PDB file of all heavy atoms in Angstrom:
ATOM      1  N   LEU A 395     100.137 101.059  94.875  1.00  0.00           N
ATOM      2  CA  LEU A 395      99.996 100.195  93.715  1.00  0.00           C
ATOM      3  C   LEU A 395      99.826  98.743  94.146  1.00  0.00           C
ATOM      4  O   LEU A 395      99.886  98.413  95.320  1.00  0.00           O
ATOM      5  CB  LEU A 395     101.214 100.358  92.806  1.00  0.00           C
ATOM      6  CG  LEU A 395     101.460 101.792  92.325  1.00  0.00           C
ATOM      7  CD1 LEU A 395     102.801 101.892  91.633  1.00  0.00           C
ATOM      8  CD2 LEU A 395     100.349 102.249  91.401  1.00  0.00           C
ATOM      9  N   SER A 396      99.611  97.877  93.163  1.00  0.00           N
ATOM     10  CA  SER A 396      99.345  96.491  93.504  1.00  0.00           C
ATOM     11  C   SER A 396      99.960  95.550  92.476  1.00  0.00           C
ATOM     12  O   SER A 396      99.402  94.514  92.155  1.00  0.00           O
ATOM     13  CB  SER A 396      97.837  96.251  93.581  1.00  0.00           C
ATOM     14  OG  SER A 396      97.197  96.661  92.380  1.00  0.00           O
ATOM     15  N   GLY A 397     101.119  95.906  91.964  1.00  0.00           N
ATOM     16  CA  GLY A 397     101.712  95.114  90.902  1.00  0.00           C
ATOM     17  C   GLY A 397     102.809  94.180  91.390  1.00  0.00           C
ATOM     18  O   GLY A 397     103.033  93.999  92.587  1.00  0.00           O
ATOM     19  N   PHE A 398     103.503  93.584  90.428  1.00  0.00           N
ATOM     20  CA  PHE A 398     104.586  92.646  90.709  1.00  0.00           C
ATOM     21  C   PHE A 398     105.933  93.350  90.676  1.00  0.00           C
ATOM     22  O   PHE A 398     106.158  94.243  89.873  1.00  0.00           O
ATOM     23  CB  PHE A 398     104.596  91.540  89.650  1.00  0.00           C
ATOM     24  CG  PHE A 398     103.463  90.557  89.774  1.00  0.00           C
ATOM     25  CD1 PHE A 398     102.278  90.768  89.101  1.00  0.00           C
ATOM     26  CD2 PHE A 398     103.603  89.431  90.560  1.00  0.00           C
ATOM     27  CE1 PHE A 398     101.240  89.864  89.208  1.00  0.00           C
ATOM     28  CE2 PHE A 398     102.570  88.521  90.674  1.00  0.00           C
ATOM     29  CZ  PHE A 398     101.380  88.735  90.002  1.00  0.00           C
ATOM     30  N   THR A 399     106.834  92.887  91.537  1.00  0.00           N
ATOM     31  CA  THR A 399     108.232  93.291  91.442  1.00  0.00           C
ATOM     32  C   THR A 399     109.049  92.227  90.737  1.00  0.00           C
ATOM     33  O   THR A 399     110.165  92.497  90.290  1.00  0.00           O
ATOM     34  CB  THR A 399     108.836  93.555  92.824  1.00  0.00           C
ATOM     35  OG1 THR A 399     108.701  92.367  93.625  1.00  0.00           O
ATOM     36  CG2 THR A 399     108.108  94.699  93.527  1.00  0.00           C
ATOM     37  N   GLY A 400     108.511  91.036  90.650  1.00  0.00           N
ATOM     38  CA  GLY A 400     109.165  89.956  89.929  1.00  0.00           C
ATOM     39  C   GLY A 400     108.124  88.967  89.423  1.00  0.00           C
ATOM     40  O   GLY A 400     107.186  88.640  90.143  1.00  0.00           O
ATOM     41  N   LEU A 401     108.293  88.507  88.190  1.00  0.00           N
ATOM     42  CA  LEU A 401     107.357  87.543  87.618  1.00  0.00           C
ATOM     43  C   LEU A 401     108.116  86.652  86.628  1.00  0.00           C
ATOM     44  O   LEU A 401     108.178  86.936  85.432  1.00  0.00           O
ATOM     45  CB  LEU A 401     106.200  88.255  86.912  1.00  0.00           C
ATOM     46  CG  LEU A 401     105.096  87.346  86.365  1.00  0.00           C
ATOM     47  CD1 LEU A 401     104.402  86.600  87.501  1.00  0.00           C
ATOM     48  CD2 LEU A 401     104.079  88.158  85.567  1.00  0.00           C
ATOM     49  N   PRO A 402     108.724  85.563  87.114  1.00  0.00           N
ATOM     50  CA  PRO A 402     109.457  84.664  86.212  1.00  0.00           C
ATOM     51  C   PRO A 402     108.495  83.858  85.351  1.00  0.00           C
ATOM     52  O   PRO A 402     107.641  83.136  85.871  1.00  0.00           O
ATOM     53  CB  PRO A 402     110.262  83.774  87.166  1.00  0.00           C
ATOM     54  CG  PRO A 402     109.567  83.865  88.481  1.00  0.00           C
ATOM     55  CD  PRO A 402     108.844  85.162  88.522  1.00  0.00           C
ATOM     56  N   LEU A 403     108.638  83.982  84.049  1.00  0.00           N
ATOM     57  CA  LEU A 403     107.760  83.275  83.118  1.00  0.00           C
ATOM     58  C   LEU A 403     108.585  82.374  82.202  1.00  0.00           C
ATOM     59  O   LEU A 403     109.745  82.652  81.915  1.00  0.00           O
ATOM     60  CB  LEU A 403     106.972  84.266  82.258  1.00  0.00           C
ATOM     61  CG  LEU A 403     105.964  85.172  82.956  1.00  0.00           C
ATOM     62  CD1 LEU A 403     105.245  86.050  81.937  1.00  0.00           C
ATOM     63  CD2 LEU A 403     104.966  84.365  83.790  1.00  0.00           C
ATOM     64  N   ARG A 404     107.931  81.319  81.733  1.00  0.00           N
ATOM     65  CA  ARG A 404     108.514  80.407  80.748  1.00  0.00           C
ATOM     66  C   ARG A 404     107.713  80.548  79.454  1.00  0.00           C
ATOM     67  O   ARG A 404     106.477  80.557  79.477  1.00  0.00           O
ATOM     68  CB  ARG A 404     108.457  78.975  81.266  1.00  0.00           C
ATOM     69  CG  ARG A 404     109.117  77.942  80.383  1.00  0.00           C
ATOM     70  CD  ARG A 404     109.043  76.563  81.024  1.00  0.00           C
ATOM     71  NE  ARG A 404     109.732  76.533  82.321  1.00  0.00           N
ATOM     72  CZ  ARG A 404     109.117  76.459  83.491  1.00  0.00           C
ATOM     73  NH1 ARG A 404     107.785  76.435  83.557  1.00  0.00           N
ATOM     74  NH2 ARG A 404     109.812  76.433  84.615  1.00  0.00           N
ATOM     75  N   PHE A 405     108.423  80.678  78.347  1.00  0.00           N
ATOM     76  CA  PHE A 405     107.778  80.873  77.037  1.00  0.00           C
ATOM     77  C   PHE A 405     108.127  79.707  76.126  1.00  0.00           C
ATOM     78  O   PHE A 405     109.310  79.386  75.925  1.00  0.00           O
ATOM     79  CB  PHE A 405     108.270  82.168  76.384  1.00  0.00           C
ATOM     80  CG  PHE A 405     108.014  83.402  77.205  1.00  0.00           C
ATOM     81  CD1 PHE A 405     108.972  83.833  78.117  1.00  0.00           C
ATOM     82  CD2 PHE A 405     106.844  84.123  77.077  1.00  0.00           C
ATOM     83  CE1 PHE A 405     108.749  84.974  78.887  1.00  0.00           C
ATOM     84  CE2 PHE A 405     106.622  85.257  77.829  1.00  0.00           C
ATOM     85  CZ  PHE A 405     107.581  85.689  78.737  1.00  0.00           C
ATOM     86  N   ARG A 406     107.107  79.078  75.568  1.00  0.00           N
ATOM     87  CA  ARG A 406     107.322  78.039  74.559  1.00  0.00           C
ATOM     88  C   ARG A 406     106.850  78.577  73.221  1.00  0.00           C
ATOM     89  O   ARG A 406     105.694  79.002  73.093  1.00  0.00           O
ATOM     90  CB  ARG A 406     106.579  76.756  74.914  1.00  0.00           C
ATOM     91  CG  ARG A 406     106.844  75.611  73.922  1.00  0.00           C
ATOM     92  CD  ARG A 406     106.328  74.281  74.459  1.00  0.00           C
ATOM     93  NE  ARG A 406     104.886  74.290  74.571  1.00  0.00           N
ATOM     94  CZ  ARG A 406     104.050  73.990  73.543  1.00  0.00           C
ATOM     95  NH1 ARG A 406     104.556  73.712  72.336  1.00  0.00           N
ATOM     96  NH2 ARG A 406     102.753  73.992  73.736  1.00  0.00           N
ATOM     97  N   THR A 407     107.725  78.624  72.273  1.00  0.00           N
ATOM     98  CA  THR A 407     107.361  79.115  70.930  1.00  0.00           C
ATOM     99  C   THR A 407     106.928  77.930  70.084  1.00  0.00           C
ATOM    100  O   THR A 407     106.815  76.801  70.554  1.00  0.00           O
ATOM    101  CB  THR A 407     108.540  79.856  70.296  1.00  0.00           C
ATOM    102  OG1 THR A 407     109.672  79.005  70.271  1.00  0.00           O
ATOM    103  CG2 THR A 407     108.886  81.101  71.102  1.00  0.00           C
TER     104      THR A 407
END
Side-chain angles (χ1 to χ4, degrees):
L395 302 171
S396 54
F398 288 91
T399 57
L401 185 63
L403 295 182
R404 184 178 299 108
F405 301 90
R406 183 168 66 85
T407 56

